[in-house]
Amino acid sequence: EPARAGREVVQAITREDGWLLKMDIGSEPARALGGSGEVAKGDSMTVGLSAKVRMKLDAGMEPPQGSAFVADSAIFKEADGGEMEGFWQVEDDGDDGGPRTI
């Protein structure tokens, strides 16, 4: 059932313990991934970034959406020292009802 599959994906995305997001940016990672654009052709340094992100679902909203929090970060904090809060929303749920783009 497509709707059920979509709900399961959203539940996984909004798991309570959040997600550790890691990325490397720069010319070398771009080339390693098959990039052929400006960054890949360049000679920029490689920088590694990571952040723990939690996403909370606002019940009853269509498309699914809610708050995103950068957690456990010494850099990304609100002025009062709390977790930085943002917004997420499903932009493409595909033919099967499962989120493809958030």
Side-chain angles (χ1 to χ4, degrees):
E1 172 185 322
R4 182 173 159 244
R7 283 193 304 271
E8 289 173 357
V9 171
V10 169
Q11 286 175 337
I13 291 168
T14 58
R15 70 183 201 195
E16 192 172 315
D17 60 339
W19 297 89
L20 180 59
L21 304 179
K22 294 182 178 185
M23 68 184 92
D24 290 328
I25 58 173
S27 295
E28 187 58 38
R31 286 190 291 273
L33 292 171
S36 59
E38 205 172 304
V39 174
K41 291 176 183 173
D43 191 28
S44 65
M45 68 180 200
T46 299
V47 176
L49 302 171
S50 66
K52 182 154 185 181
V53 176
R54 287 185 306 105
M55 298 194 321
K56 179 182 167 191
L57 178 65
D58 289 343
M61 301 301 292
E62 190 57 42
Q65 58 191 271
S67 297
F69 301 90
V70 178
D72 300 331
S73 174
I75 298 170
F76 300 108
K77 290 197 174 286
E78 294 290 350
D80 65 1
E83 293 178 336
M84 185 172 278
E85 183 176 1
F87 174 78
W88 70 271
Q89 175 179 335
V90 172
E91 293 183 4
D92 175 13
D93 61 5
D95 296 333
D96 63 359
R100 296 176 196 266
T101 305
I102 297 178

